[in-house]
Amino acid sequence: MNIVQKYGGCYLKNMEDLSAIASHLAQSRENSDSLVLVTAAMQEIAEAMSARAASLETEIGSDKLDAMFSAAEKQTAALMAAALEREGLRAAVIEDIKGTSLSEVEVFAGKHELEIGRIEKALQEGVIPVVAGFQGIGKYGAEDVQGRYGAAATAVAIAAGLGCDCQLYGNTKGIYTREPAEEGSVIEKISYEEAMELIMLGESDLESRAIELAKAFGVEVYVGPAMEEEKSGGTYIMDRSLIVQEAAVTGLTVSDDIVVYTLKGLPTDGDRIAELFELLSDLSVNIDMISQQTCSEHSCAVSFSCSKDKISEIDQAFEVNQRLRELEIYKQDNLSLVSLVGVGMASHVGVAGRVFSVLAQHAIHHYNITTSEISISVAIDSSQKAAAVVSLSEAFGL
């Protein structure tokens, strides 16, 4: 039986951690297991790389950052292979497995473009392939944890090629019913759709790209504490058809430092609205919610929310755009986005009514609202975040 395991984050800070992983694998591995190991960059190697880059005192392009951190992950993979051999296990470093980047092919058409022949050969020979995590699968820029991103996506892609399950061990120990994690309980099983929604709407550092690939290729993913034999303390992410009971709400997540812009007086012909969102796209603004209200037959108001760190760029762009600066523009900041997620929303009536009833009972004011088939998100004052989380969690048994 093949299995792919990825290690990174808090489990791979230094050489002591690396040695502990190798020792655990040597003690727990059965002869029947065929293990593929994917490593992110060891923290102390990555930090040393960051310090050297910072000493240049210049902006470094994402392609250079990718090259630097790819080298850091290759170093980590080589050290891990050496540590495994010290424990009496045969191991080999597999560096470049990328054929055509999965971001450039139609994954939902079933295409899989990784060169895993060397991995399969190593497994057949009883050797543990140790793969450097960063393979350029997907689009990763400097903002993505300083380039250290992509190991989970690599692990899932390999599992898809081998037709096996994948286990991800890093800073995320599972997916929880509510945030912060210590106040919620671990969700034992969750659908791909719910996991992606909670990741995108919240502040988890679990790679959404990894879950997208898992869904596309039907890879079951386990996210939980490392070096535990029972695998009972984390979350299994799987096809929703395998989950027997679907609750109306599976989890609650919060994203802080949100700002809401409202532009009034937009023509309803759509031309100015298209210009607005093209401008936001050019600024790389990740929009959380959009709503439109009709003001008159030919006029409407559009609201959108995004991260607070984009305020200065957006304000400057509005100021220099002749057609947009003529509008009435309102801005609300110091907001938090509270989101409830659950595939059961599609079959349970009254979820939205219950959400707004709970907020009203606790005098929690809400602003922008957005819904999907499996989620409801509301923007509220950050000062009322704790009250909203507690009251909604109690209402839905989270």
Side-chain angles (χ1 to χ4, degrees):
M1 178 182 69
N2 294 328
I3 189 73
V4 179
Q5 293 183 351
K6 169 260 176 184
Y7 289 88
C10 64
Y11 292 114
L12 201 48
K13 302 186 297 297
N14 48 40
M15 287 300 299
E16 288 76 12
D17 288 345
L18 184 143
S19 296
I21 293 170
S23 176
H24 167 74
L25 293 175
Q27 294 172 18
S28 62
R29 184 169 180 257
E30 298 178 359
N31 293 330
S32 59
D33 291 338
S34 295
L35 173 67
V36 179
L37 206 58
V38 178
T39 59
M42 188 192 304
Q43 184 176 321
E44 65 179 22
I45 295 177
E47 287 178 350
M49 188 79 74
S50 295
R52 295 189 193 101
S55 70
L56 294 174
E57 297 182 346
T58 186
E59 184 175 348
I60 301 176
S62 61
D63 57 333
K64 279 77 174 181
L65 285 171
D66 287 348
M68 285 192 294
F69 288 110
S70 177
E73 298 199 352
K74 288 178 182 179
Q75 290 180 51
T76 305
L79 289 167
M80 179 64 78
L84 290 170
E85 290 189 339
R86 185 185 64 182
E87 296 290 338
L89 301 173
R90 297 173 63 201
V93 178
I94 308 293
E95 293 186 0
D96 187 3
I97 60 170
K98 186 177 71 172
T100 301
S101 171
L102 288 177
S103 65
E104 299 169 1
V105 299
E106 298 176 6
V107 294
F108 289 100
K111 296 181 180 180
H112 190 73
E113 299 291 341
L114 288 184
E115 297 174 353
I116 60 172
R118 283 177 293 162
I119 293 176
E120 292 176 320
K121 184 174 184 294
L123 291 172
Q124 290 169 1
E125 295 173 352
V127 175
I128 298 176
V130 184
V131 184
F134 187 89
Q135 297 288 335
I137 297 171
K139 297 178 180 178
Y140 307 101
E143 69 275 10
D144 295 321
V145 199
Q146 295 183 304
R148 284 188 292 151
Y149 208 58
T154 295
V156 170
I158 293 171
L162 295 174
C164 66
D165 296 343
C166 182
Q167 298 167 359
L168 304 179
Y169 301 120
N171 293 329
T172 302
K173 307 297 193 303
I175 298 178
Y176 292 80
T177 54
R178 58 187 279 198
E179 292 184 354
E182 57 268 19
E183 296 182 6
S185 57
V186 176
I187 300 170
E188 182 181 351
K189 296 179 181 180
I190 192 171
S191 68
Y192 298 121
E193 294 86 354
E194 290 171 312
M196 286 190 290
E197 199 91 358
L198 286 168
I199 292 167
M200 290 185 289
L201 292 172
E203 297 180 347
S204 170
D205 68 351
L206 187 61
E207 294 175 36
S208 60
R209 177 60 173 160
I211 309 306
E212 289 173 11
L213 288 174
K215 180 179 186 296
F217 293 105
V219 175
E220 183 173 302
V221 174
Y222 175 77
V223 181
M227 294 178 276
E228 292 187 359
E229 293 301 318
E230 296 300 321
K231 301 291 183 292
S232 59
T235 301
Y236 288 91
I237 306 172
M238 59 183 65
D239 190 277
R240 63 187 293 182
S241 65
L242 301 175
I243 301 174
V244 177
Q245 186 174 2
E246 294 181 345
V249 176
T250 301
L252 180 152
T253 189
V254 179
S255 181
D256 292 321
D257 297 324
I258 298 297
V259 59
V260 173
Y261 283 87
T262 301
L263 289 77
K264 293 185 176 181
L266 284 160
T268 55
D269 59 11
D271 180 59
R272 198 83 59 93
I273 297 174
E275 182 178 352
L276 165 64
F277 288 104
E278 286 173 2
L279 181 151
L280 295 174
S281 176
D282 291 340
L283 295 175
S284 299
V285 176
N286 185 18
I287 298 171
D288 298 309
M289 298 187 291
I290 301 172
S291 62
Q292 178 176 330
Q293 304 84 38
T294 300
C295 300
S296 66
E297 183 179 353
H298 302 292
S299 174
C300 68
V302 169
S303 298
F304 67 89
S305 63
C306 62
S307 176
K308 191 177 179 179
D309 60 9
K310 288 291 186 178
I311 284 181
S312 59
E313 293 179 65
I314 295 173
D315 289 348
Q316 184 177 1
F318 284 171
E319 182 62 31
V320 298
N321 186 294
Q322 181 66 38
R323 299 215 305 165
L324 293 179
R325 71 181 183 186
E326 296 173 351
L327 304 172
E328 295 180 60
I329 300 177
Y330 301 90
K331 178 174 61 182
Q332 293 172 288
D333 55 7
N334 297 318
L335 301 177
S336 294
L337 186 67
V338 178
S339 303
L340 293 162
V341 176
V343 292
M345 287 188 187
S347 56
H348 289 71
V349 297
V351 176
R354 193 172 181 187
V355 169
F356 298 122
S357 175
V358 169
L359 295 177
Q361 289 171 12
H362 292 83
I364 299 171
H365 301 290
H366 57 271
Y367 304 101
N368 268 33
I369 304 162
T370 188
T371 64
S372 73
E373 183 184 15
I374 64 169
S375 71
I376 297 174
S377 299
V378 294
I380 63 171
D381 291 313
S382 293
S383 61
Q384 295 187 300
K385 177 183 71 172
V389 169
V390 171
S391 58
L392 289 170
S393 295
E394 290 177 349
F396 290 96
L398 303 177

